[in-house]
Amino acid sequence: MINYIPLLKTVPLFFDIEANDLSELLNCLSAKIKTFQTQESIFSEGDSAEFVGIILSGEAQIVMDDYYGNRNIVASLTVGHLFGEAFACADVSILPVSVIATNETIIMQINYKKIITTCSNCCTFHNKLIYNMLRIVANKNVMLNQKIDVISKRTTREKILSYLAIQAKQAGQNSFSIPFNRQELADYLFVDRSALSNELSKLSDKGVLHFHKNTFELL
């Protein structure tokens, strides 16, 4: 576990916590490391919402399947991303979503109650951990509002341009890559894949954007 300390130092949950303290903190949190294969469920819909996960390597997606079996992608997770904290913080008894590994993925699993409850050792850095968690939950709420704004657009074209504009702003430039293939992007935007591909082709023909696979350039 100590091999992951440099990576964990970059995770927002552990901001401003020294490496020596972090080693002690992980023991305090009873952190566990688990490996998942491609398409294996890290968390499954219906599981108890007790744990927070951190991606140490690989990638995963948060997905939600509706009554008819249609899959919607809620978010894409890469190295350093935290997941599960919102449901645990809200005291949701069971998870309404699943987290699926999109390739071989290693995660760190932490019991949420051990994050928000100071331990018997009265670790001085535990208060910082709680503050970091509150900030993460607040930032996730902002991101969720962004997605609601995107998918609430009336047309597929408006959804595409709204999403790509956010990605360009986050990248700080007009050329950027997104973490989705075509089907995944359609699932994320809640649109039909054929309609998505058709609109992308029209936007390219009109000189609004260029794209190749998951790389885009807004013109």
Side-chain angles (χ1 to χ4, degrees), residues 162-179:
S162 179
Y163 171 74
L164 294 180
I166 290 173
Q167 297 304 305
K169 185 174 182 180
Q170 290 178 349
Q173 56 186 18
N174 290 346
S175 297
F176 53 89
S177 295
I178 65 173

Side-chain angles (χ1 to χ4, degrees), residues 77-88:
L77 303 169
T78 57
V79 174
H81 280 175
L82 193 74
F83 59 93
E85 75 290 340
F87 299 113

Side-chain angles (χ1 to χ4, degrees), residues 26-212:
L26 293 176
N27 290 329
C28 175
L29 297 175
S30 300
K32 299 177 182 178
I33 293 178
K34 296 185 177 181
T35 301
F36 297 85
Q37 302 305 314
T38 303
Q39 294 304 308
E40 187 176 358
S41 294
I42 299 173
F43 289 171
S44 296
E45 182 179 349
D47 285 352
S48 58
E50 300 176 357
F51 297 97
V52 171
I54 300 172
I55 304 288
L56 299 179
S57 72
E59 297 177 340
Q61 292 176 344
I62 302 176
V63 302
M64 179 180 290
D65 296 323
D66 66 19
Y67 179 80
Y68 299 100
N70 299 310
R71 172 157 292 185
N72 297 315
I73 297 177
V74 178
S76 178
L77 303 169
T78 57
V79 174
H81 280 175
L82 193 74
F83 59 93
E85 75 290 340
F87 299 113
C89 184
D91 200 24
V92 174
S93 58
I94 58 173
L95 290 169
V97 299
S98 298
V99 179
I100 309 296
T102 54
N103 51 40
E104 184 175 277
T105 302
I106 301 175
I107 73 157
M108 175 174 288
Q109 191 178 68
I110 301 171
N111 188 304
Y112 180 75
K113 291 182 179 179
K114 291 196 174 185
I115 295 177
I116 63 172
T117 306
T118 54
C119 63
S120 58
N121 295 328
C122 296
C123 307
T124 56
F125 42 77
H126 211 126
N127 287 335
K128 185 62 180 178
L129 185 74
I130 295 172
Y131 171 80
N132 288 342
M133 176 57 75
L134 290 173
R135 184 170 57 182
I136 289 169
V137 172
N139 286 335
K140 289 284 183 75
N141 186 55
V142 172
M143 292 172 60
L144 179 59
N145 285 334
Q146 281 186 336
K147 179 170 183 180
I148 291 173
D149 181 60
V150 170
I151 64 176
S152 64
K153 302 300 183 186
R154 291 183 177 274
T155 67
T156 298
R157 176 173 297 188
E158 289 175 337
K159 291 180 181 182
I160 293 170
L161 292 176
S162 179
Y163 171 74
L164 294 180
I166 290 173
Q167 297 304 305
K169 185 174 182 180
Q170 290 178 349
Q173 56 186 18
N174 290 346
S175 297
F176 53 89
S177 295
I178 65 173
F180 302 127
N181 59 33
R182 288 293 176 272
Q183 183 59 60
E184 291 168 343
L185 180 57
D187 291 343
Y188 181 84
L189 296 177
F190 296 171
V191 298
D192 178 75
R193 178 178 176 175
S194 296
L196 171 69
S197 297
N198 186 43
E199 285 298 335
L200 285 174
S201 295
K202 289 180 179 179
L203 289 168
S204 178
D205 291 341
K206 290 184 176 182
V208 176
L209 55 80
H210 289 319
F211 66 89
H212 177 68

